[in-house]
Amino acid sequence: MGMAMHPSSFPSRLYKAGAVPNTTFSLCLSRSGGTINLGGGAIDARGPMAFTTMRRYYGWYGVSVARMHVGTREIVQGMEGFARGKGTILDSGTTDTFLPESIAAPFKLAWKASTGKKYSTSNVEYTFEEFSKLPHITFTMIDGLKWTLENYDYMEPKKDDDSRKPWKGTKKWISRLYVDERNGAVLGANAMLHRDVFFDAEAGVVGMARADCDY
């Protein structure tokens, strides 16, 4: 999207031209679209914004993941993978979320314990009741900020319909959360859905608040 920390990025060029007061910006994304707000955060946040320290790495917006939970089950083994290489970055230009391969085994065990099903990134049929019980995936940053993905964030319907209304029978969904990243992790666009995500490279912080992003 051209929003990286770089002198030629879109926010930097606007700032140099005097069009905006600073290089801060926020993203508010939904499956049907969203907004980019230059110079600050969106106005439709559902609660106060929480912040975490930004890690800078070759223009990417990095964060530091300290803990991770699948539902109520904490992932302990392999957590060092979040800090390898580029570390963990926020990248709206990547559609899906990619987690370290080092946590693949404990993640899949926690998923099966929570759902009774083997973890898969292929199409899986769920009743509405089964889907409703899929676990939240929570990343806790070093500052305490909790970044929680709900089932509608990381699951994508096979058909172009992500309605939250109950359905009869079964419906096919596919997980867009992968555990095969060799170096670090990428929290992609689906990790930012229905959030006001605020980027302030000058202050070195990332902010996040749940928001209504359906415009």
Side-chain angles (χ1 to χ4, degrees):
M1 296 178 69
M3 309 299 283
M5 286 183 285
H6 192 275
S8 63
S9 69
F10 186 47
S12 296
R13 286 183 176 273
L14 288 177
Y15 173 65
K16 290 175 182 178
V20 293
N22 52 57
T23 60
T24 65
F25 67 95
S26 70
L27 302 176
C28 198
L29 306 177
S30 72
R31 293 196 186 278
S32 60
T35 62
I36 300 175
N37 188 36
L38 299 165
I43 60 174
D44 294 325
R46 299 175 190 168
M49 181 168 283
F51 294 88
T52 188
T53 303
M54 180 187 296
R55 288 179 53 259
R56 296 176 175 85
Y57 189 88
Y58 294 112
W60 285 320
Y61 299 94
V63 292
S64 298
V65 176
R67 302 175 68 186
M68 176 183 170
H69 288 78
V70 177
T72 60
R73 294 169 173 82
E74 183 170 7
I75 303 298
V76 177
Q77 179 187 344
M79 286 296 293
E80 68 279 357
F82 281 98
R84 285 181 185 154
K86 65 183 179 300
T88 300
I89 64 170
L90 299 171
D91 185 12
S92 60
T94 300
T95 305
D96 304 329
T97 288
F98 296 83
L99 303 180
E101 64 178 6
S102 59
I103 68 162
F107 175 86
K108 291 174 181 178
L109 286 174
W111 178 272
K112 188 169 185 179
S114 296
T115 68
K117 292 178 178 284
K118 181 180 178 181
Y119 186 70
S120 173
T121 52
S122 299
N123 288 309
V124 177
E125 292 190 354
Y126 291 99
T127 64
F128 179 76
E129 182 180 6
E130 289 173 331
F131 187 82
S132 299
K133 293 179 180 178
L134 292 182
H136 289 179
I137 310 296
T138 302
F139 308 98
T140 303
M141 308 303 170
I142 55 171
D143 317 78
L145 182 151
K146 293 185 183 297
W147 199 297
T148 299
L149 306 188
E150 300 177 2
N151 50 9
Y152 285 97
D153 295 329
Y154 62 83
M155 298 295 289
E156 184 177 287
K158 181 173 176 57
K159 294 184 178 180
D160 189 18
D161 170 27
D162 64 346
S163 170
R164 301 196 178 206
K165 296 179 181 179
W167 59 84
K168 295 181 180 180
T170 61
K171 188 174 176 180
K172 289 183 178 181
W173 294 79
I174 184 168
S175 176
R176 295 299 187 183
L177 192 156
Y178 302 91
V179 282
D180 58 3
E181 190 77 359
R182 289 191 174 186
N183 293 298
V186 180
L187 302 183
N190 62 350
M192 303 182 202
L193 292 175
H194 302 295
R195 293 169 174 80
D196 181 20
V197 185
F198 175 70
F199 299 85
D200 188 341
E202 295 176 14
V205 296
V206 173
M208 187 274 287
R210 277 287 183 178
D212 182 1
C213 302
D214 288 317
Y215 292 94

